[in-house]
Amino acid sequence: MTASDGTIVSLENVAKHFGAVRALDGVDLRVDPGMCLGLVGHNGAGKSTLMNALAGILAPDRGVMKVHGHDLTDRYSVAVAGQNGIRCVFQELSLCPNLTVAENARIFHPSLTGWGWKRRAGDMIAGKLDEIFPGHGIQPDDIVGDLSIGKRQMVEIARAFTVTDASLHLVILDEPTSSLDAVTSKQLLDFVRVEVDQGLSCILISHMLGEVLDYCDRIVVMKDGLVVAARAGAEFNRDTLVAAMGNVVEMEEIEEHEAREWQRGKTPVAVEAKTDTGNDWAPFIAHKGEIVGLAGLAAHGQTRMLLKIYEAAMRGRKTATVSGPVALVAGDRQTDGIFHLWSISRNIGIRSLRGMVRRGLIDPVAEAAMGREWQDRIKIKTPDMNDNILSLSGGNQQKALFARALASDAEIILMDDPMRGVDVGTKLEVYDLIRDEAEKGRTFLWYTTEMDELYNCDHTYVFRDGAIVADLTRKELSEEKVLQSSFKESA
Ligand SMILES: Nc1ncnc2c1ncn2[C@@H]1O[C@H](COP(=O)(O)OP(=O)(O)OP(=O)(O)O)[C@@H](O)[C@H]1O
Protein backbone atom coordinates (compact mmCIF):
# COMPACT_ATOMS: atom_id res chain seq x y z
CA MET A 1 0.00 0.00 0.00
CA THR A 2 1.95 3.01 -1.22
CA ALA A 3 0.67 6.54 -1.56
CA SER A 4 0.83 8.26 -4.89
CA ASP A 5 4.00 10.20 -4.04
CA GLY A 6 5.73 6.92 -3.09
CA THR A 7 7.08 8.22 0.24
CA ILE A 8 7.59 5.63 2.98
CA VAL A 9 7.46 8.08 5.88
CA SER A 10 7.17 11.82 6.14
CA LEU A 11 7.36 13.83 9.34
CA GLU A 12 6.16 17.41 9.39
CA ASN A 13 6.98 19.93 12.09
CA VAL A 14 7.58 17.24 14.72
CA ALA A 15 8.45 18.56 18.20
CA LYS A 16 9.32 16.84 21.47
CA HIS A 17 10.24 18.50 24.75
CA PHE A 18 11.64 16.89 27.89
CA GLY A 19 10.98 19.49 30.57
CA ALA A 20 13.08 22.48 29.58
CA VAL A 21 14.98 20.54 26.88
CA ARG A 22 13.71 21.01 23.35
CA ALA A 23 14.94 17.71 21.91
CA LEU A 24 12.99 18.26 18.66
CA ASP A 25 11.89 21.73 17.73
CA GLY A 26 9.83 21.29 14.57
CA VAL A 27 11.51 18.76 12.31
CA ASP A 28 10.56 17.79 8.75
CA LEU A 29 11.89 14.51 7.36
CA ARG A 30 11.00 12.40 4.38
CA VAL A 31 12.21 8.93 3.41
CA ASP A 32 11.62 7.54 -0.07
CA PRO A 33 11.87 3.88 -1.15
CA GLY A 34 15.34 2.63 -2.04
CA MET A 35 17.08 5.43 -0.13
CA CYS A 36 19.89 5.32 2.39
CA LEU A 37 19.47 8.47 4.43
CA GLY A 38 22.32 9.56 6.69
CA LEU A 39 21.46 11.44 9.87
CA VAL A 40 24.29 13.29 11.61
CA GLY A 41 24.64 15.91 14.32
CA HIS A 42 26.41 16.63 17.59
CA ASN A 43 25.70 14.71 20.80
CA GLY A 44 22.25 15.71 22.00
CA ALA A 45 21.20 17.14 18.61
CA GLY A 46 17.97 15.09 18.71
CA LYS A 47 18.74 12.22 16.33
CA SER A 48 17.73 9.34 18.62
CA THR A 49 14.63 11.22 19.78
CA LEU A 50 13.57 11.63 16.16
CA MET A 51 14.15 7.94 15.49
CA ASN A 52 12.28 6.97 18.64
CA ALA A 53 9.33 8.96 17.34
CA LEU A 54 9.60 7.19 13.99
CA ALA A 55 9.81 3.79 15.72
CA GLY A 56 6.65 4.62 17.69
CA ILE A 57 8.40 4.66 21.08
CA LEU A 58 7.95 8.36 21.79
CA ALA A 59 4.81 10.31 20.99
CA PRO A 60 5.73 13.77 19.67
CA ASP A 61 4.19 16.82 21.37
CA ARG A 62 3.14 18.16 17.99
CA GLY A 63 3.58 17.51 14.29
CA VAL A 64 2.28 15.12 11.65
CA MET A 65 3.51 11.58 10.98
CA LYS A 66 2.57 10.03 7.68
CA VAL A 67 3.40 6.48 6.62
CA HIS A 68 2.90 5.44 3.01
CA GLY A 69 1.00 8.71 2.60
CA HIS A 70 -1.49 8.05 5.43
CA ASP A 71 -1.68 10.39 8.40
CA LEU A 72 -1.15 8.08 11.40
CA THR A 73 -0.29 10.80 13.91
CA ASP A 74 -3.06 10.00 16.36
CA ARG A 75 -2.61 6.24 16.43
CA TYR A 76 1.12 5.81 15.85
CA SER A 77 2.82 3.23 18.11
CA VAL A 78 5.54 0.55 18.05
CA ALA A 79 2.96 -1.95 16.79
CA VAL A 80 1.78 0.39 14.00
CA ALA A 81 5.40 1.06 12.99
CA GLY A 82 6.02 -2.72 12.88
CA GLN A 83 2.87 -3.39 10.85
CA ASN A 84 4.08 -0.78 8.35
CA GLY A 85 7.46 -2.45 7.96
CA ILE A 86 9.48 0.03 10.04
CA ARG A 87 12.14 -1.42 12.34
CA CYS A 88 14.81 0.18 14.49
CA VAL A 89 18.25 -0.98 15.64
CA PHE A 90 18.74 0.95 18.85
CA GLN A 91 21.91 2.63 20.05
CA GLU A 92 21.39 1.07 23.49
CA LEU A 93 20.76 -2.45 22.30
CA SER A 94 17.29 -3.81 22.95
CA LEU A 95 17.90 -7.57 23.06
CA CYS A 96 16.78 -9.60 26.09
CA PRO A 97 20.07 -10.71 27.68
CA ASN A 98 18.64 -13.82 29.37
CA LEU A 99 17.24 -15.26 26.13
CA THR A 100 19.09 -17.04 23.34
CA VAL A 101 19.85 -15.47 19.98
CA ALA A 102 17.04 -17.55 18.40
CA GLU A 103 14.53 -16.58 21.10
CA ASN A 104 15.38 -12.90 20.62
CA ALA A 105 14.79 -13.27 16.88
CA ARG A 106 11.40 -14.86 17.55
CA ILE A 107 10.22 -11.73 19.42
CA PHE A 108 9.94 -9.90 16.08
CA HIS A 109 7.99 -12.69 14.46
CA PRO A 110 4.80 -13.70 16.31
CA SER A 111 3.89 -15.95 13.39
CA LEU A 112 6.77 -18.29 14.27
CA THR A 113 4.76 -20.67 16.46
CA GLY A 114 4.08 -24.37 16.83
CA TRP A 115 6.38 -27.34 16.85
CA GLY A 116 9.97 -26.51 15.92
CA TRP A 117 9.61 -22.71 16.22
CA LYS A 118 12.95 -22.44 18.00
CA ARG A 119 14.79 -24.26 15.24
CA ARG A 120 13.06 -22.15 12.58
CA ALA A 121 13.86 -18.93 14.45
CA GLY A 122 17.45 -20.14 14.86
CA ASP A 123 17.78 -20.96 11.16
CA MET A 124 16.31 -17.57 10.23
CA ILE A 125 18.70 -15.51 12.38
CA ALA A 126 21.71 -17.70 11.55
CA GLY A 127 20.97 -17.28 7.85
CA LYS A 128 20.75 -13.50 8.17
CA LEU A 129 23.94 -13.34 10.25
CA ASP A 130 25.73 -15.41 7.60
CA GLU A 131 24.44 -13.08 4.90
CA ILE A 132 25.50 -9.86 6.63
CA PHE A 133 28.51 -10.92 8.71
CA PRO A 134 30.19 -14.00 7.18
CA GLY A 135 32.39 -15.72 9.78
CA HIS A 136 30.49 -14.11 12.69
CA GLY A 137 30.93 -17.07 15.10
CA ILE A 138 27.52 -16.65 16.76
CA GLN A 139 25.30 -19.69 17.47
CA PRO A 140 21.48 -19.47 17.62
CA ASP A 141 21.49 -21.07 21.09
CA ASP A 142 24.06 -18.63 22.54
CA ILE A 143 22.67 -16.69 25.49
CA VAL A 144 22.73 -13.04 24.43
CA GLY A 145 24.06 -11.81 27.79
CA ASP A 146 27.16 -13.98 27.31
CA LEU A 147 28.06 -12.34 23.98
CA SER A 148 30.47 -9.42 23.62
CA ILE A 149 28.86 -6.06 22.91
CA GLY A 150 30.02 -6.24 19.28
CA LYS A 151 28.35 -9.61 18.78
CA ARG A 152 25.18 -8.39 20.46
CA GLN A 153 25.18 -5.47 18.05
CA MET A 154 25.51 -7.93 15.15
CA VAL A 155 22.53 -9.98 16.41
CA GLU A 156 20.41 -6.87 16.86
CA ILE A 157 21.23 -5.72 13.33
CA ALA A 158 20.63 -9.13 11.73
CA ARG A 159 17.31 -9.45 13.58
CA ALA A 160 16.12 -6.13 12.18
CA PHE A 161 16.56 -7.42 8.64
CA THR A 162 14.76 -10.77 9.13
CA VAL A 163 11.46 -11.11 7.34
CA THR A 164 8.64 -13.64 7.76
CA ASP A 165 5.08 -12.67 6.85
CA ALA A 166 5.08 -8.83 7.09
CA SER A 167 7.14 -6.92 4.54
CA LEU A 168 10.00 -4.64 5.52
CA HIS A 169 10.27 -1.08 4.17
CA LEU A 170 12.53 0.93 6.45
CA VAL A 171 15.31 -0.04 8.86
CA ILE A 172 16.61 2.65 11.19
CA LEU A 173 20.20 2.01 12.28
CA ASP A 174 21.19 4.17 15.26
CA GLU A 175 25.00 4.08 15.41
CA PRO A 176 25.12 0.47 14.20
CA THR A 177 28.91 0.32 13.82
CA SER A 178 29.81 1.86 17.18
CA SER A 179 31.00 -1.49 18.60
CA LEU A 180 32.03 -3.12 15.33
CA ASP A 181 35.57 -3.28 14.01
CA ALA A 182 36.47 -1.94 10.57
CA VAL A 183 36.00 -5.28 8.79
CA THR A 184 32.58 -6.00 10.31
CA SER A 185 31.43 -2.41 9.78
CA LYS A 186 32.23 -2.71 6.10
CA GLN A 187 30.34 -6.01 5.86
CA LEU A 188 27.28 -4.28 7.29
CA LEU A 189 27.49 -1.16 5.15
CA ASP A 190 28.01 -3.18 1.96
CA PHE A 191 24.96 -5.27 2.87
CA VAL A 192 22.90 -2.13 3.51
CA ARG A 193 23.89 -0.78 0.11
CA VAL A 194 22.76 -3.97 -1.63
CA GLU A 195 19.43 -3.94 0.22
CA VAL A 196 18.89 -0.27 -0.61
CA ASP A 197 19.65 -0.88 -4.26
CA GLN A 198 16.91 -3.53 -4.17
CA GLY A 199 14.33 -1.06 -2.82
CA LEU A 200 14.61 -1.18 0.99
CA SER A 201 15.18 2.13 2.77
CA CYS A 202 17.58 2.72 5.66
CA ILE A 203 18.32 5.60 7.99
CA LEU A 204 21.92 5.50 9.14
CA ILE A 205 22.78 7.56 12.22
CA SER A 206 26.51 7.76 12.74
CA HIS A 207 29.32 9.88 14.11
CA MET A 208 31.68 8.18 11.63
CA LEU A 209 31.34 10.77 8.92
CA GLY A 210 33.27 8.69 6.38
CA GLU A 211 30.56 5.99 6.53
CA VAL A 212 27.80 8.49 5.99
CA LEU A 213 29.59 10.17 3.09
CA ASP A 214 30.47 6.87 1.41
CA TYR A 215 27.15 5.05 1.78
CA CYS A 216 24.27 7.55 1.97
CA ASP A 217 22.20 8.92 -0.91
CA ARG A 218 20.99 11.84 1.14
CA ILE A 219 22.36 13.41 4.32
CA VAL A 220 20.34 15.27 6.90
CA VAL A 221 22.18 17.32 9.53
CA MET A 222 20.58 18.09 12.89
CA LYS A 223 21.58 20.72 15.40
CA ASP A 224 19.83 21.53 18.68
CA GLY A 225 16.60 19.81 17.72
CA LEU A 226 16.38 21.23 14.20
CA VAL A 227 17.28 20.06 10.72
CA VAL A 228 19.91 22.56 9.59
CA ALA A 229 20.92 20.99 6.28
CA ALA A 230 19.52 18.29 3.98
CA ARG A 231 21.15 17.57 0.65
CA ALA A 232 22.22 14.74 -1.65
CA GLY A 233 25.16 12.85 -0.15
CA ALA A 234 27.36 13.71 -3.12
CA GLU A 235 26.95 17.42 -2.37
CA PHE A 236 28.77 17.08 0.96
CA ASN A 237 32.40 16.46 1.76
CA ARG A 238 33.92 16.10 5.23
CA ASP A 239 34.56 19.83 5.53
CA THR A 240 31.08 20.92 4.58
CA LEU A 241 29.50 18.20 6.71
CA VAL A 242 31.51 19.16 9.79
CA ALA A 243 30.70 22.82 9.13
CA ALA A 244 26.98 22.07 8.76
CA MET A 245 27.03 20.27 12.11
CA GLY A 246 28.18 23.52 13.65
CA ASN A 247 31.55 22.18 14.74
CA VAL A 248 34.28 24.75 14.84
CA VAL A 249 37.00 22.14 14.30
CA GLU A 250 39.04 22.50 11.16
CA MET A 251 39.51 19.56 8.83
CA GLU A 252 43.28 19.65 9.34
CA GLU A 253 42.64 19.01 13.02
CA ILE A 254 40.68 15.87 12.21
CA GLU A 255 43.28 14.57 9.83
CA GLU A 256 46.27 15.70 11.83
CA HIS A 257 47.94 12.69 13.35
CA GLU A 258 51.14 14.32 14.44
CA ALA A 259 53.10 12.05 16.77
CA ARG A 260 54.11 13.55 20.09
CA GLU A 261 57.71 13.31 21.20
CA TRP A 262 57.88 10.06 23.11
CA GLN A 263 60.82 7.89 23.97
CA ARG A 264 59.71 4.50 25.12
CA GLY A 265 61.43 3.13 28.19
CA LYS A 266 62.56 6.47 29.63
CA THR A 267 59.91 6.30 32.35
CA PRO A 268 59.25 3.41 34.77
CA VAL A 269 56.97 0.52 33.84
CA ALA A 270 53.39 1.20 34.96
CA VAL A 271 51.72 -2.01 33.75
CA GLU A 272 53.07 -5.41 32.83
CA ALA A 273 50.85 -8.31 31.79
CA LYS A 274 50.54 -11.36 29.58
CA THR A 275 47.54 -12.82 27.87
CA ASP A 276 46.33 -16.29 28.91
CA THR A 277 47.29 -17.87 25.61
CA GLY A 278 51.05 -18.23 26.09
CA ASN A 279 51.39 -17.25 22.41
CA ASP A 280 52.24 -13.58 22.84
CA TRP A 281 54.59 -12.10 20.32
CA ALA A 282 55.60 -9.48 22.92
CA PRO A 283 54.74 -8.90 26.59
CA PHE A 284 52.18 -6.19 27.27
CA ILE A 285 54.09 -3.31 28.83
CA ALA A 286 53.01 0.28 29.41
CA HIS A 287 55.31 2.93 30.84
CA LYS A 288 54.32 5.88 32.99
CA GLY A 289 52.95 8.66 30.82
CA GLU A 290 52.52 6.44 27.79
CA ILE A 291 49.43 6.12 25.60
CA VAL A 292 49.20 2.50 24.54
CA GLY A 293 46.72 1.29 21.93
CA LEU A 294 45.00 -2.10 21.84
CA ALA A 295 43.85 -3.01 18.36
CA GLY A 296 42.72 -5.89 16.17
CA LEU A 297 39.34 -7.30 15.25
CA ALA A 298 36.72 -6.80 17.95
CA ALA A 299 36.56 -9.29 20.84
CA HIS A 300 39.99 -10.80 20.24
CA GLY A 301 41.17 -10.39 23.82
CA GLN A 302 41.56 -6.61 24.16
CA THR A 303 38.77 -6.14 26.72
CA ARG A 304 39.94 -9.26 28.55
CA MET A 305 43.41 -7.72 28.89
CA LEU A 306 41.98 -4.47 30.29
CA LEU A 307 39.83 -6.39 32.80
CA LYS A 308 42.81 -8.49 33.85
CA ILE A 309 44.78 -5.32 34.63
CA TYR A 310 41.75 -3.81 36.38
CA GLU A 311 41.33 -6.87 38.59
CA ALA A 312 45.04 -6.90 39.45
CA ALA A 313 44.77 -3.30 40.65
CA MET A 314 41.38 -3.47 42.38
CA ARG A 315 41.40 -6.95 43.85
CA GLY A 316 45.13 -7.59 44.23
CA ARG A 317 45.04 -10.46 41.72
CA LYS A 318 48.44 -11.57 40.45
CA THR A 319 47.25 -11.53 36.85
CA ALA A 320 49.23 -8.37 36.07
CA THR A 321 51.68 -5.94 37.67
CA VAL A 322 50.25 -2.47 38.13
CA SER A 323 52.14 0.44 39.68
CA GLY A 324 49.24 2.64 40.85
CA PRO A 325 45.48 3.20 41.11
CA VAL A 326 43.46 2.51 37.97
CA ALA A 327 40.13 3.67 36.55
CA LEU A 328 38.18 1.94 33.80
CA VAL A 329 36.07 3.64 31.16
CA ALA A 330 33.70 0.80 30.32
CA GLY A 331 32.80 0.06 26.73
CA ASP A 332 29.38 -1.39 27.49
CA ARG A 333 28.04 1.66 29.28
CA GLN A 334 24.55 0.34 29.98
CA THR A 335 25.76 -2.86 31.64
CA ASP A 336 29.11 -1.91 33.19
CA GLY A 337 29.30 1.87 33.13
CA ILE A 338 26.46 4.01 34.36
CA PHE A 339 24.45 3.79 37.58
CA HIS A 340 20.99 4.07 36.10
CA LEU A 341 19.21 5.50 39.14
CA TRP A 342 21.78 8.18 39.96
CA SER A 343 22.26 11.76 38.87
CA ILE A 344 24.89 12.78 36.34
CA SER A 345 27.04 14.40 39.06
CA ARG A 346 26.95 11.31 41.27
CA ASN A 347 27.85 9.11 38.32
CA ILE A 348 30.94 11.26 37.77
CA GLY A 349 31.89 11.55 41.45
CA ILE A 350 31.53 7.88 42.41
CA ARG A 351 35.18 7.05 41.61
CA SER A 352 36.39 10.00 43.74
CA LEU A 353 34.19 9.52 46.80
CA ARG A 354 37.08 9.26 49.24
CA GLY A 355 38.01 12.89 48.65
CA MET A 356 34.41 14.05 48.96
CA VAL A 357 33.32 12.45 52.23
CA ARG A 358 32.80 14.82 55.18
CA ARG A 359 31.90 13.23 58.54
CA GLY A 360 30.96 9.98 56.86
CA LEU A 361 28.62 11.59 54.31
CA ILE A 362 29.12 12.63 50.71
CA ASP A 363 29.59 16.40 50.60
CA PRO A 364 26.93 17.53 48.06
CA VAL A 365 28.76 20.82 47.44
CA ALA A 366 31.99 19.03 46.47
CA GLU A 367 30.06 16.56 44.33
CA ALA A 368 28.18 19.34 42.52
CA ALA A 369 31.42 21.31 42.00
CA MET A 370 33.09 18.30 40.41
CA GLY A 371 30.04 17.76 38.20
CA ARG A 372 30.04 21.41 37.06
CA GLU A 373 33.77 21.40 36.36
CA TRP A 374 33.49 18.36 34.09
CA GLN A 375 30.32 19.59 32.45
CA ASP A 376 32.32 22.61 31.31
CA ARG A 377 35.48 20.71 30.45
CA ILE A 378 33.90 18.14 28.15
CA LYS A 379 30.63 19.90 27.39
CA ILE A 380 28.05 17.55 28.84
CA LYS A 381 24.79 18.76 27.33
CA THR A 382 22.19 19.04 30.09
CA PRO A 383 20.32 21.85 31.85
CA ASP A 384 21.05 20.31 35.27
CA MET A 385 23.80 17.94 36.41
CA ASN A 386 21.43 16.72 39.14
CA ASP A 387 19.18 15.19 36.49
CA ASN A 388 19.18 11.43 36.10
CA ILE A 389 22.02 10.09 33.96
CA LEU A 390 19.49 8.48 31.58
CA SER A 391 18.18 11.91 30.61
CA LEU A 392 21.45 12.39 28.68
CA SER A 393 21.86 11.40 25.05
CA GLY A 394 24.08 8.32 24.47
CA GLY A 395 27.18 10.33 23.59
CA ASN A 396 26.76 12.55 26.63
CA GLN A 397 26.46 9.51 28.91
CA GLN A 398 29.77 8.34 27.47
CA LYS A 399 31.32 11.74 28.25
CA ALA A 400 30.19 11.37 31.88
CA LEU A 401 32.02 8.03 32.09
CA PHE A 402 35.15 9.71 30.78
CA ALA A 403 34.79 12.45 33.32
CA ARG A 404 34.49 9.85 36.10
CA ALA A 405 37.86 8.34 35.19
CA LEU A 406 39.69 11.59 34.50
CA ALA A 407 38.38 13.29 37.65
CA SER A 408 39.64 10.42 39.82
CA ASP A 409 43.08 9.91 41.37
CA ALA A 410 43.82 7.09 38.92
CA GLU A 411 47.33 7.08 37.52
CA ILE A 412 46.44 4.43 34.96
CA ILE A 413 43.32 4.81 32.85
CA LEU A 414 41.93 1.79 31.04
CA MET A 415 39.65 2.69 28.15
CA ASP A 416 37.47 0.01 26.54
CA ASP A 417 36.44 1.54 23.21
CA PRO A 418 35.53 4.71 25.11
CA MET A 419 34.41 6.99 22.27
CA ARG A 420 31.31 4.97 21.35
CA GLY A 421 28.80 7.52 20.17
CA VAL A 422 30.88 10.60 20.96
CA ASP A 423 30.67 13.32 18.30
CA VAL A 424 33.60 14.46 16.20
CA GLY A 425 34.15 17.82 17.93
CA THR A 426 34.14 16.32 21.43
CA LYS A 427 36.43 13.51 20.37
CA LEU A 428 39.12 15.97 19.34
CA GLU A 429 38.83 17.74 22.67
CA VAL A 430 39.07 14.45 24.57
CA TYR A 431 42.12 13.42 22.50
CA ASP A 432 43.83 16.66 23.59
CA LEU A 433 42.81 16.02 27.18
CA ILE A 434 44.31 12.52 27.07
CA ARG A 435 47.55 13.87 25.63
CA ASP A 436 47.78 16.58 28.31
CA GLU A 437 47.12 14.07 31.08
CA ALA A 438 49.72 11.70 29.62
CA GLU A 439 52.24 14.56 29.60
CA LYS A 440 51.51 14.95 33.31
CA GLY A 441 52.38 11.28 33.87
CA ARG A 442 49.12 9.40 33.55
CA THR A 443 49.21 6.15 31.59
CA PHE A 444 46.42 5.36 29.13
CA LEU A 445 45.59 1.90 27.81
CA TRP A 446 43.21 2.48 24.95
CA TYR A 447 41.25 -0.21 23.15
CA THR A 448 39.48 1.22 20.13
CA THR A 449 37.54 -0.14 17.17
CA GLU A 450 38.25 3.13 15.33
CA MET A 451 41.46 2.88 13.38
CA ASP A 452 41.99 6.64 13.32
CA GLU A 453 42.13 6.81 17.11
CA LEU A 454 45.22 4.61 17.21
CA TYR A 455 47.21 7.50 15.75
CA ASN A 456 46.91 9.14 19.16
CA CYS A 457 48.85 6.26 20.74
CA ASP A 458 52.60 6.03 21.26
CA HIS A 459 52.50 2.37 20.31
CA THR A 460 49.86 -0.23 19.64
CA TYR A 461 49.49 -3.90 20.48
CA VAL A 462 47.46 -5.87 17.96
CA PHE A 463 45.43 -8.79 19.37
CA ARG A 464 44.30 -11.91 17.57
CA ASP A 465 42.63 -14.97 19.12
CA GLY A 466 43.43 -13.67 22.59
CA ALA A 467 47.16 -13.22 21.96
CA ILE A 468 49.36 -10.22 21.16
CA VAL A 469 50.48 -10.67 17.56
CA ALA A 470 52.19 -7.34 16.87
CA ASP A 471 53.55 -4.28 18.62
CA LEU A 472 53.56 -1.30 16.27
CA THR A 473 55.25 2.00 17.06
CA ARG A 474 53.46 5.20 16.12
CA LYS A 475 55.65 5.46 13.01
CA GLU A 476 54.98 1.86 11.95
CA LEU A 477 51.24 2.14 12.42
CA SER A 478 48.94 1.84 9.41
CA GLU A 479 45.51 0.36 8.84
CA GLU A 480 47.03 -2.17 6.47
CA LYS A 481 49.51 -3.37 9.10
CA VAL A 482 46.85 -3.68 11.77
CA LEU A 483 44.63 -5.68 9.42
CA GLN A 484 47.52 -7.85 8.26
CA SER A 485 48.40 -8.67 11.86
CA SER A 486 44.75 -9.30 12.67
CA PHE A 487 44.54 -12.03 10.09
CA LYS A 488 48.08 -13.44 9.90
CA GLU A 489 50.50 -14.98 12.38
CA SER A 490 52.58 -11.90 13.23
CA ALA A 491 53.87 -8.59 11.93
N1 LIG B 1 14.13 10.71 28.42
C1 LIG B 1 14.70 11.92 28.40
N2 LIG B 1 14.56 12.79 29.43
C2 LIG B 1 15.11 14.02 29.41
N3 LIG B 1 15.86 14.48 28.38
C3 LIG B 1 16.03 13.67 27.33
C4 LIG B 1 15.47 12.35 27.29
N4 LIG B 1 15.83 11.78 26.10
C5 LIG B 1 16.58 12.69 25.45
N5 LIG B 1 16.70 13.82 26.18
C6 LIG B 1 17.42 15.03 25.79
O1 LIG B 1 17.04 15.36 24.46
C7 LIG B 1 18.17 15.86 23.74
C8 LIG B 1 18.33 15.07 22.47
O2 LIG B 1 18.78 13.76 22.81
P1 LIG B 1 19.03 12.62 21.73
O3 LIG B 1 19.29 11.34 22.46
O4 LIG B 1 17.92 12.62 20.75
O5 LIG B 1 20.37 13.16 21.02
P2 LIG B 1 21.27 12.46 19.91
O6 LIG B 1 21.38 13.43 18.78
O7 LIG B 1 20.74 11.11 19.59
O8 LIG B 1 22.67 12.38 20.66
P3 LIG B 1 23.85 11.27 20.62
O9 LIG B 1 24.63 11.54 19.38
O10 LIG B 1 24.64 11.56 21.85
O11 LIG B 1 23.20 9.92 20.66
C9 LIG B 1 19.36 15.78 24.68
O12 LIG B 1 19.57 17.06 25.25
C10 LIG B 1 18.93 14.81 25.75
O13 LIG B 1 19.55 15.09 26.98
Side-chain angles (χ1 to χ4, degrees):
M1 187 173 55
T2 307
S4 51
D5 67 355
T7 305
I8 294 180
V9 287
S10 71
L11 308 184
E12 292 159 24
N13 199 23
V14 167
K16 179 74 190 173
H17 295 193
F18 297 102
V21 177
R22 278 191 267 176
L24 298 176
D25 204 10
V27 170
D28 295 338
L29 188 83
R30 172 193 157 120
V31 185
D32 295 328
M35 167 190 271
C36 184
L37 186 140
L39 186 59
V40 300
H42 61 73
N43 291 135
K47 305 177 297 294
S48 299
T49 306
L50 187 62
M51 292 309 108
N52 283 336
L54 204 45
I57 291 164
L58 277 178
D61 301 333
R62 68 155 204 263
V64 175
M65 300 194 52
K66 288 186 186 164
V67 181
H68 301 308
H70 302 279
D71 185 345
L72 301 182
T73 314
D74 295 335
R75 58 183 191 88
Y76 203 66
S77 65
V78 175
V80 172
Q83 286 153 14
N84 283 279
I86 299 173
R87 299 241 185 96
C88 191
V89 172
F90 296 96
Q91 193 184 115
E92 309 302 350
L93 305 179
S94 67
L95 300 171
C96 300
N98 54 333
L99 299 184
T100 65
V101 170
E103 287 161 349
N104 268 284
R106 158 68 179 74
I107 293 170
F108 269 20
H109 300 283
S111 63
L112 272 181
T113 52
W115 192 80
W117 69 264
K118 224 180 247 191
R119 185 186 43 74
R120 280 180 282 134
D123 289 348
M124 177 181 68
I125 189 76
K128 197 51 84 177
L129 279 163
D130 290 344
E131 194 182 341
I132 308 176
F133 305 111
H136 51 81
I138 300 166
Q139 301 303 322
D141 56 359
D142 284 344
I143 299 288
V144 161
D146 295 340
L147 298 176
S148 68
I149 185 165
K151 288 196 169 166
R152 269 182 279 150
Q153 195 158 31
M154 288 153 77
V155 173
E156 174 120 4
I157 291 165
R159 180 176 74 160
F161 286 96
T162 53
V163 179
T164 42
D165 42 353
S167 48
L168 187 60
H169 296 287
L170 171 65
V171 178
I172 302 162
L173 299 155
D174 194 351
E175 296 184 33
T177 60
S178 60
S179 298
L180 304 184
D181 57 54
V183 174
T184 321
S185 299
K186 187 168 182 317
Q187 288 175 335
L188 169 63
L189 295 167
D190 288 345
F191 170 82
V192 165
R193 216 38 261 180
V194 170
E195 290 290 305
V196 165
D197 291 343
Q198 290 172 2
L200 186 75
S201 295
C202 286
I203 297 180
L204 174 64
I205 302 180
S206 181
H207 292 292
M208 321 267 185
L209 300 186
E211 289 177 354
V212 176
L213 286 164
D214 288 349
Y215 286 88
C216 295
D217 304 303
R218 189 169 172 77
I219 300 177
V220 172
V221 184
M222 288 188 71
K223 184 168 183 257
D224 297 332
L226 288 166
V227 170
V228 290
R231 295 205 289 275
E235 288 179 33
F236 283 104
N237 58 35
R238 282 182 80 106
D239 284 323
T240 52
L241 197 50
V242 169
M245 287 165 65
N247 281 90
V248 284
V249 289
E250 298 293 332
M251 239 3 261
E252 298 82 68
E253 273 186 81
I254 296 175
E255 277 162 359
E256 183 186 275
H257 294 307
E258 204 182 292
R260 69 177 181 144
E261 286 297 316
W262 178 255
Q263 273 192 301
R264 199 169 175 188
K266 283 234 157 173
T267 53
V269 170
V271 177
E272 191 162 358
K274 279 187 187 158
T275 68
D276 300 325
T277 62
N279 294 329
D280 290 344
W281 184 79
F284 187 98
I285 292 178
H287 296 86
K288 187 174 160 59
E290 200 163 42
I291 307 174
V292 178
L294 288 79
L297 299 180
H300 272 247
Q302 303 92 336
T303 300
R304 220 176 313 140
M305 174 58 87
L306 294 181
L307 292 179
K308 183 184 261 232
I309 295 163
Y310 186 73
E311 290 195 340
M314 302 305 278
R315 303 202 178 95
R317 301 244 164 96
K318 299 273 178 268
T319 47
T321 312
V322 183
S323 69
V326 305
L328 172 73
V329 184
D332 187 352
R333 64 174 167 259
Q334 292 305 322
T335 311
D336 306 323
I338 58 172
F339 292 93
H340 293 213
L341 299 177
W342 292 0
S343 70
I344 308 160
S345 286
R346 179 135 310 169
N347 263 282
I348 292 175
I350 180 68
R351 178 62 182 72
S352 310
L353 277 189
R354 218 175 301 154
M356 284 196 287
V357 172
R358 308 270 177 277
R359 296 195 192 123
L361 296 172
I362 300 168
D363 177 0
V365 178
E367 186 181 74
M370 180 180 276
R372 271 197 309 276
E373 181 193 337
W374 283 92
Q375 178 178 22
D376 287 348
R377 283 184 78 174
I378 54 174
K379 300 192 181 66
I380 297 174
K381 190 170 187 281
T382 177
D384 189 345
M385 290 293 280
N386 288 317
D387 283 351
N388 182 275
I389 185 90
L390 293 178
S391 69
L392 292 180
S393 73
N396 280 291
Q397 289 178 24
Q398 199 64 33
K399 289 188 214 173
L401 293 187
F402 241 113
R404 180 193 294 166
L406 293 174
S408 74
D409 63 354
E411 291 166 19
I412 299 157
I413 307 216
L414 314 174
M415 306 193 293
D416 185 9
D417 209 4
M419 302 291 183
R420 279 188 61 216
V422 176
D423 65 40
V424 59
T426 309
K427 271 182 189 166
L428 292 174
E429 286 169 23
V430 176
Y431 297 160
D432 283 345
L433 201 60
I434 289 172
R435 240 176 213 242
D436 289 349
E437 293 294 314
E439 293 292 337
K440 290 181 201 154
R442 273 179 155 175
T443 307
F444 288 86
L445 309 190
W446 188 350
Y447 167 47
T448 174
T449 48
E450 278 185 59
M451 181 64 211
D452 279 357
E453 288 188 345
L454 295 173
Y455 289 99
N456 293 292
C457 300
D458 301 312
H459 73 107
T460 295
Y461 290 109
V462 184
F463 285 70
R464 185 168 59 76
D465 293 333
I468 293 169
V469 291
D471 177 5
L472 303 172
T473 63
R474 169 66 184 72
K475 285 208 173 77
E476 291 166 333
L477 184 73
S478 69
E479 181 163 14
E480 201 188 349
K481 278 206 174 132
V482 171
L483 286 176
Q484 259 174 17
S485 314
S486 304
F487 287 105
K488 278 205 235 132
E489 275 308 308
S490 63

